Amino acid sequence: AQSVTQPDIHITVSEGASLELRCNYSYGATPYLFWYVQSPGQGLQLLLKYFSGDTLVQGIKGFEAEFKRSQSSFNLRKPSVHWSDAAEYFCAIFGNEKLTFGTGTRLTIIP
Amino acid sequence: NAGVTQTPKFQVLKTGQSMTLQCAQDMNHEYMSWYRQDPGMGLRLIHYSVGAGITDQGEVPNGYNVSRSTTEDFPLRLLSAAPSQTSVYFCASSYSSGSSGYTFGSGTRLTVV
């Protein structure tokens, strides 16, 4: 069975600082991996996805993620965060005909 | 193009009552899923469907039923509501390859008292 682990429950960064959110996965084959963002009281919006090819994928809102097969990781990064990036971020894996989520990382931005 | 539409947006039920959460999509997606979201637990899969007439259980199926008579609709039924089912429920859909990612509805906030 597939699984996703997001080891950081809550991260606080200063506006303008760089960001990295961690995601580790477990799956027996090449995974389809996703990052979603959820603003308070809202639904989920797809940030980016990986399913083959280049291991560095670009997404919306200036986010990128790097797939590392040797580390079973798919970490999300952004060079400079904005106050509007404050939200909850979910890593997810598609396999066995279903999408499985991690428990999420809440991002707080301080001035 | 409405995407994934969930109704109602909010609902309060008494313990033991039944109800159906509606989900419809107009993208001709084969795959549809129901999730519940609880603080600190992420989104947990309740039931999913890979096409009309086909459904399967996810991680937390107890207390919920689904059916998929058409490609467009995937209702979630609570048979006898319990306070433990207080949650935010999301419906999502995708093409069968999964590589395009899932599109989510805006959610239903359910409170069982």
Side-chain angles (χ1 to χ4, degrees), chain B residues 29-69:
Chain B
H29 284 170
E30 297 92 342
Y31 284 18
M32 296 186 76
S33 300
W34 275 102
Y35 294 86
R36 60 177 290 173
Q37 184 177 25
D38 303 290
M41 306 190 77
L43 285 90
R44 293 182 292 168
L45 184 63
I46 304 171
H47 286 284
Y48 64 103
S49 169
V50 299
I54 307 170
T55 64
D56 207 345
Q57 296 181 350
E59 182 185 355
V60 288
N62 292 343
Y64 308 95
N65 273 359
V66 292
S67 60
R68 183 99 180 269
S69 56

Side-chain angles (χ1 to χ4, degrees), chain A residues 4-34:
Chain A
V4 173
T5 301
Q6 294 180 250
D8 303 307
I9 296 173
H10 186 201
I11 285 183
T12 300
V13 299
S14 299
E15 191 168 13
S18 63
L19 170 69
E20 182 168 27
L21 302 183
R22 295 185 290 166
C23 171
N24 292 97
Y25 69 90
S26 174
Y27 188 58
T30 300
Y32 291 171
L33 293 163
F34 306 87

Side-chain angles (χ1 to χ4, degrees), chain A residues 32 34 36 38 49 90 99, chain B residues 35 37 97-99 101-102 104:
Chain A
Y32 291 171
F34 306 87
Y36 284 86
Q38 184 182 36
K49 58 188 178 185
F90 294 95
L99 187 68
Chain B
Y35 294 86
Q37 184 177 25
S97 69
S99 62
Y102 277 65
F104 280 78

Side-chain angles (χ1 to χ4, degrees), chain B residues 1-111:
Chain B
N1 190 344
V4 178
T5 302
Q6 289 185 239
T7 56
K9 293 191 183 301
F10 301 94
Q11 183 71 49
V12 178
L13 286 180
K14 294 182 179 179
T15 297
Q17 286 184 317
S18 63
M19 79 159 295
T20 299
L21 306 185
Q22 301 291 344
C23 176
Q25 52 92 8
D26 61 358
M27 299 171 284
N28 202 31
H29 284 170
E30 297 92 342
Y31 284 18
M32 296 186 76
S33 300
W34 275 102
Y35 294 86
R36 60 177 290 173
Q37 184 177 25
D38 303 290
M41 306 190 77
L43 285 90
R44 293 182 292 168
L45 184 63
I46 304 171
H47 286 284
Y48 64 103
S49 169
V50 299
I54 307 170
T55 64
D56 207 345
Q57 296 181 350
E59 182 185 355
V60 288
N62 292 343
Y64 308 95
N65 273 359
V66 292
S67 60
R68 183 99 180 269
S69 56
T70 67
T71 298
E72 295 77 20
D73 300 297
F74 191 43
L76 177 72
R77 298 182 188 85
L78 281 69
L79 308 175
S80 177
S84 61
Q85 293 179 303
T86 294
S87 186
V88 181
Y89 292 84
F90 288 98
C91 179
S93 71
S94 171
Y95 291 112
S96 61
S97 69
S99 62
S100 61
Y102 277 65
T103 300
F104 280 78
S106 57
T108 296
R109 183 174 294 275
L110 176 69
T111 301

Side-chain angles (χ1 to χ4, degrees), chain A residues 14-72:
Chain A
S14 299
E15 191 168 13
S18 63
L19 170 69
E20 182 168 27
L21 302 183
R22 295 185 290 166
C23 171
N24 292 97
Y25 69 90
S26 174
Y27 188 58
T30 300
Y32 291 171
L33 293 163
F34 306 87
W35 275 99
Y36 284 86
V37 61
Q38 184 182 36
S39 297
Q42 303 297 312
L44 280 82
Q45 181 182 22
L46 180 64
L47 281 177
L48 48 76
K49 58 188 178 185
Y50 169 83
F51 54 93
S52 69
D54 292 339
T55 57
L56 185 64
V57 294
Q58 302 297 321
I60 62 172
K61 304 185 179 188
F63 285 92
E64 65 179 27
E66 186 172 13
F67 172 66
K68 293 185 177 180
R69 185 186 302 276
S70 61
Q71 298 178 19
S72 297

